[in-house]
Amino acid sequence: MRGTVDFMLGSIRESPLYPIVNPRSIAFFGASNNSAAMGTTLLNSLLALGYEGTVYPVHPREAQVQGLRAYGKADDLPEVPDLAVLVLPTDIVCEKLDECGRKGIGHAIVVSGGFRESGDEEGRRRQERLVETAARHGMRFIGPNCIGVANPHQKLNTTFLRYEGTPGFIGMASQSGSFVTQMFGYLDQFGLGFSTAFSVGNEANIDIVDCMEYLGACPHTKVIALYIEGIRRGKEFIEAARSILSRKPIVAYYVGGSETGKQAGFSHTGAMAGPDSLYDGMFRQGGIIRARSMTELFDFCSLLGTMPEPAGRTVVIQTHSGGPGAEAADVCGRVGLQLAELSKRTVEALGSMIPHTGSIKNPVDVTYSKNPLDFFDGIPRVLLEEEGAHILLMYLLMPTESVERTLRRMGVPKDRVGRERETFINRLCDAMVRFLGKYGKPIVGYTYRSFNDEFIQGLLARGMSVYPGPERAVRAIEALVRYYEVRKKMNETGD
Amino acid sequence: MRGTVDFMLGSIRESPLYPIVNPRSIAFFGASNNSAAMGTTLLNSLLALGYEGTVYPVHPREAQVQGLRAYGKADDLPEVPDLAVLVLPTDIVCEKLDECGRKGIGHAIVVSGGFRESGDEEGRRRQERLVETAARHGMRFIGPNCIGVANPHQKLNTTFLRYEGTPGFIGMASQSGSFVTQMFGYLDQFGLGFSTAFSVGNEANIDIVDCMEYLGACPHTKVIALYIEGIRRGKEFIEAARSILSRKPIVAYYVGGSETGKQAGFSHTGAMAGPDSLYDGMFRQGGIIRARSMTELFDFCSLLGTMPEPAGRTVVIQTHSGGPGAEAADVCGRVGLQLAELSKRTVEALGSMIPHTGSIKNPVDVTYSKNPLDFFDGIPRVLLEEEGAHILLMYLLMPTESVERTLRRMGVPKDRVGRERETFINRLCDAMVRFLGKYGKPIVGYTYRSFNDEFIQGLLARGMSVYPGPERAVRAIEALVRYYEVRKKMNETGD
């Protein structure tokens, strides 16, 4: 790849975003003892996650804010903090940013709205003044009109909702703040989390390309997710993507793909949405995997961040029920994945484990009749050893109640059934995950059970991807395969 | 519509399926005191749901089975039961069906496999013998190779897994037993349930067309769901569908749509899958709404079974976050739904409730700033009164934790916060549901919250459809609109 070296950060610390998501201290403007205020909510999100740096609330009148010592103005602070967060009325944002600049604070998050996104001349001029103020002091800032950032690895969350779940591996840059802060709980359901997430707002100073470069260099980020309403620096966007491609995948959802989406995106941040074909071309040139919705965006991230490179497009489906197997096969065909033909060796090896009512074809339909443990041990082992199959797709059904019934049937006393069930399910989960390491082939699950289910949660907690239904699983597999195909092609041709 | 009258049941009691899903008494073959046996599991599902009719286990040796008095053979039974359930080794099924016939039992469910689906000559001949035996006695049966039936309104469930949830309005006929029994918990998550569900198995005597006629006449069934691997009586299938069309919608998922799906379906039940275009034509002629997956099948059923006829294809989107609104708008455009233009009257009425940072366009983006109660009362009221909008699509986000924080902020003492939260959320849910009745326009929700969320569960329990993400919501809306368009067209042209 030519001409992309400039876009790789020599060190993550060179990024203007480094102090913004790894600050040792923060000056917080706009929080108060009025707990209904937006600024207070954001400060409380930060405190709730247990941020370990120093927080300095800045407030013109209060001596204490949310239990912390407050300061009247930036100049009163006992040190120069790494970062200022501004959640202030539109009118005073510029003046306060200037105050921060004079104190020597180099970086800021401007949450306040009322700038270019308002669509009027006044908003446009206000934003210009903000940019000029920052430039005068050599400051870098994210926003305005953003919801802040989250870096759960540093216990940092300056957004509206509390961070739920554990730190993860998805690096996100979003032109909608909701798709940062309102996704915490969503991702947690699927055992996922953000490494770092940026709400970029109006991108007056730092833009989505800067975020991509940061996330490309971020060691916690295994895959980058983008929510896009419009890209301004198209050339740089493509070049940044290409420079990241060989290290980690990028997935993007562009909301302006339809006429109605374009209008909606435009009225939201004032970003210039372009024709769908233009964005499709940009994504292709950048080697970016395109998602059709937010659900798909994170579905793709899940597999891309956890699974090894598949050697090809050929899937083997393991099920104990005909219908769910047939449905998975149907979707594979529709998205362009192949079903493996089983070798003679595989068919023979399965013969001893699958009853005559089962089907030793692909989908491999085990039925209910034999030892249920084979489903999680002997059979996947044989299928992972099948040379013609590059990916194992498994239907998962293990209702807690059925497990308990089986244990009682085996003579486990009633008061020990709960604990034995846990042990049993943990052992199954461990076995599945061992296979992942051993064979280096992607293993993907799908189920119609609730994601509260103990078995499903056990697998997710161990880093296996499980999807609600085969369609989402298969589309994610296709994205995984496609990323490695694109990467290989770009590496080969240098193009 | 001509020539379809013959296919409408004069009374539901005329259907051969009536005694099968409304039996007053059941002879149960194949259950024992070995709780690992398939038959025992099925009997226990029946007992667990609290079936109120009489169950007669028939067993050659046991005097009692699962706590019930058992009988050595059909002839020993003290009455002629309405139904026999046979979960027996393949070899003795025919002989036992004959025994039932001689006793005068008119209806049976044959769960046992090893018939035509085995793909060999012996299986084919076995199935022929079964059909001849039934004919000799004038018996009607469902199966063989099926998982049974569920009619939760009658506390009847003869399938593998226990019935979870409450009786519902989805009538299902499925060529996969898994898509009956393994969907109980799945549907319950979304506040849905079966009215009656049939696993049709090999359809040796009663087939999917018979099930459609029954469900068409069933008063609990508001929408019919079909899982199809192959249709044998094509002409009758279309005619049955057309005769039902004006009373209730039918949604179908055909798994043989792709080459890989066709192969998988074939090896599963031995049904003859046909070219996708053939099925597409049959569905079109029958006025059947086609789904692309099981997830979509039930998504469509949810709206079709709960919402009134929309007057057109025009949607108004209500959100308090730009991104989720833009995503919904994007999907609307992609599936061919229009976004309403808001009238001057609507814009003025919204003006007092939406802050200047919000957007009074469509999507209506309320933002966070004003009274949160307006989001569930004043604003939807105005949008439902907008004449140009036929459907209201709402983004829903009401984290329990945020509600509690708000209540504490309002001065509610700590020990009363939990109860106040419940009251508050219940009131919101009631308000939403009142709108449904008042305006007669479909109201559909989408969220990225977990479906455990109290607010989401409250809405589902009141019969409102909520989807995980806008894409599934919008596709279901499009199916709802399409059903009424198709129905209208067929009524007009008689074609």
Side-chain angles (χ1 to χ4, degrees), chain B residues 196-210:
Chain B
T196 285
F198 300 104
S199 158
V200 297
N202 292 0
E203 304 175 271
N205 179 288
I206 286 173
D207 73 357
I208 203 164
V209 177
D210 298 309

Side-chain angles (χ1 to χ4, degrees), chain B residues 315-327:
Chain B
V315 178
V316 60
I317 300 165
Q318 180 183 338
T319 176
H320 42 61
S321 306
E327 190 189 6

Side-chain angles (χ1 to χ4, degrees), chain B residues 150-201:
Chain B
N151 175 1
H153 292 276
Q154 295 293 336
K155 300 184 186 169
L156 181 83
N157 172 27
T158 74
T159 75
F160 195 79
L161 295 173
R162 311 252 162 130
Y163 192 79
E164 297 176 61
T166 48
F169 58 74
I170 301 174
M172 174 102 186
S174 174
Q175 289 178 338
S176 156
S178 315
F179 287 143
V180 171
T181 196
Q182 293 174 23
M183 294 295 117
F184 297 155
Y186 175 79
L187 293 176
D188 188 41
Q189 288 177 75
F190 298 100
L192 300 171
F194 288 123
S195 50
T196 285
F198 300 104
S199 158
V200 297

Side-chain angles (χ1 to χ4, degrees), chain B residues 374-443:
Chain B
D374 279 345
F375 194 85
F376 299 98
D377 186 21
I379 295 167
R381 191 186 304 271
V382 170
L383 296 180
L384 286 162
E385 281 170 3
E386 164 64 62
E387 280 179 18
H390 308 126
I391 298 132
L392 173 59
L393 177 60
M394 290 181 76
Y395 179 58
L396 301 170
L397 173 79
M398 180 65 58
T400 305
E401 188 230 48
S402 301
V403 177
E404 293 201 348
R405 251 188 291 162
T406 307
L407 291 169
R408 280 199 300 273
R409 186 186 298 159
M410 286 159 63
V412 174
K414 211 173 169 182
D415 61 326
R416 277 180 43 215
V417 160
R419 217 176 38 210
E420 291 283 322
R421 186 198 70 225
E422 252 178 68
T423 309
F424 174 80
I425 286 178
N426 279 327
R427 209 176 315 143
L428 287 189
C429 293
D430 288 337
M432 294 290 301
V433 174
R434 259 198 306 278
F435 282 137
L436 265 177
K438 184 164 175 198
Y439 293 98
K441 290 184 181 182
I443 307 177

Side-chain angles (χ1 to χ4, degrees), chain B residues 276-291:
Chain B
D276 190 55
S277 58
L278 183 78
Y279 279 81
D280 211 55
M282 280 207 311
F283 294 152
R284 219 181 1 254
Q285 286 180 68
I288 291 173
I289 304 301
R290 187 171 182 181

